């Protein structure tokens, strides 16, 4: 999409993620915006170590099994999940008539390490599931991406038909987020509402206003919005947040 300066959609999937909303959103955006789609099943080695310990505690393995066997069990489960993600992506892509790429990656999670470029739009889900199947946990990716200089869409819900996109309005000025929100909404069959800035720019105030306006997505410009505000709005989890990278 020329207004966004985006040439590719990159969907980051992670072990324990919800997956369905992210896959469908990536397919919808890639199809609607006519952009190539790259899906990456990203495995954070440090989190895998923590998850192995969590799994051992949940199963009460203790001295019954070696750490190596615990790790093998977890890796096997992740492999099954990765294959399910790939199959789900392929099925959704066939229905939409597009051909995405899919890769598996393991290591230290940074955009550079997984091959993300400045012209990519990265899609991540705001929540992930813990290995033991208890309460939903927040994904660690949004926190990294909101400070990593890339355009990122954090999904706290799936993209809906005729979605409402919120953008900050600053008097008569036409900030980049405001200019981009309108054509994006038009392409996705939705509408735009504008949230007036105030002196505080508090995330809680913006979150409340977006809820009152029934926004499905907020569009923010990293060059015009304090990084702490961006991170706080992502953490609010009320709606999805699209953060445009600094030009």
């Amino acid at each position: 999409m020329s207004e966004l300066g985006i040439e590719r959609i990159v969907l980051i999937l992670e072990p324990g993620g919800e997956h369905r909303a992210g896959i469908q959103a990536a397919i919808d955006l890639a199809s609607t915006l006519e952009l190539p789609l790259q899906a990456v099943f990203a495995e954070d080695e440090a989190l895998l170590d923590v998850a192995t310990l969590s799994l051992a505690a949940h199963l009460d393995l203790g001295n019954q099994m070696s750490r190596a066997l615990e790790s093998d069990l977890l890796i096997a489960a992740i492999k099954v999940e990765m294959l399910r993600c790939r199959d789900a992506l392929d099925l959704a892509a066939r229905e939409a008539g597009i051909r995405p790429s899919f890769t598996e990656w393991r290591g230290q999670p940074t955009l550079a390490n997984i091959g993300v470029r400045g012209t990519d739009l990265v899609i991540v889900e705001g929540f992930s599931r813990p290995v033991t199947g208890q309460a939903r946990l927040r994904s660690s990716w949004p926190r990294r991406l909101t400070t990593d200089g890339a355009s990122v869409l954090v999904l706290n819900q799936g993209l809906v038909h005729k979605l409402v996109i919120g953008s900050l309005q600053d008097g008569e000025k036409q900030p980049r987020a405001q200019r981009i929100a309108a054509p994006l909404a038009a392409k996705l069959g939705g509408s735009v509402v504008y949230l007036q800035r105030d002196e505080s720019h508090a995330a809680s105030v913006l979150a409340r206003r977006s809820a009152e306006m029934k926004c499905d997505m907020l569009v923010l410009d990293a060059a015009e919005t304090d990084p702490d505000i961006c991170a706080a709005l992502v953490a609010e989890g009320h709606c999805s947040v699209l953060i445009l990278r600094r030009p």
Side-chain angles (χ1 to χ4, degrees):
M1 184 177 179
S2 59
E3 297 91 342
L4 284 169
I6 289 170
E7 298 177 358
R8 182 178 64 161
I9 305 291
V10 176
L11 171 63
I12 296 179
L13 301 165
E14 60 182 331
E18 295 293 344
H19 301 151
R20 184 180 303 175
I23 288 173
Q24 193 58 57
I27 292 290
D28 289 345
L29 283 173
S31 177
T32 302
L33 303 180
E34 299 181 342
L35 293 172
L37 170 59
Q38 171 73 58
V40 180
F41 191 82
E43 303 165 21
D44 182 341
E45 286 183 334
L47 289 182
L48 291 181
D49 288 341
V50 173
T52 298
L53 294 175
S54 176
L55 178 63
H58 176 67
L59 297 178
D60 194 24
L61 296 177
N63 296 325
Q64 301 174 35
M65 301 179 70
S66 68
R67 174 70 181 277
L69 181 54
E70 295 161 16
S71 179
D72 287 346
L73 287 171
L74 183 62
I75 290 173
I78 289 174
K79 185 72 172 180
V80 170
E81 185 176 3
M82 184 271 293
L83 293 174
R84 287 176 177 168
C85 282
R86 188 183 64 186
D87 291 344
L89 179 71
D90 287 343
L91 177 60
R94 283 198 302 271
E95 293 175 350
I98 66 174
R99 300 181 65 182
S101 300
F102 185 95
T103 58
E104 182 183 12
W105 175 91
R106 179 179 296 167
Q108 182 181 5
T110 67
L111 294 185
N113 284 349
I114 63 175
V116 169
R117 304 188 291 261
T119 54
D120 291 336
L121 170 60
V122 180
I123 299 178
V124 295
E125 293 178 317
F127 287 94
S128 64
R129 300 188 310 273
V131 173
T132 56
Q134 303 299 315
R136 279 155 51 105
L137 297 177
R138 288 212 170 265
S139 167
S140 59
W141 276 100
R143 184 174 62 256
R144 300 186 187 103
L145 294 175
T146 53
T147 59
D148 218 353
S151 291
V152 56
L153 172 58
V154 181
L155 287 171
N156 284 315
Q157 61 183 32
L159 293 185
V160 297
H161 183 57
K162 296 184 177 179
L163 81 169
V164 177
I165 298 179
S167 174
L168 301 185
Q169 189 175 37
D170 192 2
E172 296 181 355
K173 295 180 181 179
Q174 291 287 317
R176 191 165 60 121
Q178 186 177 334
R179 293 197 307 271
I180 287 172
L184 180 61
K187 284 181 175 290
L188 295 174
S191 59
V192 180
V193 296
Y194 295 105
L195 312 176
Q196 285 293 138
R197 291 177 180 267
D198 62 11
E199 292 183 0
S200 68
H201 294 174
S204 59
V205 173
L206 294 175
R208 187 181 69 250
R209 289 178 180 171
S210 67
E212 292 170 350
M213 302 296 281
K214 302 186 185 307
C215 293
D216 302 299
M217 181 194 299
L218 278 176
V219 180
L220 304 173
D221 188 346
E224 299 173 353
T225 309
D226 187 286
D228 290 338
I229 297 292
C230 291
L233 284 168
V234 167
E236 284 280 346
H238 164 69
C239 66
S240 298
V241 181
L242 171 59
I243 302 173
L244 307 172
R245 69 180 178 87
R246 296 177 181 275

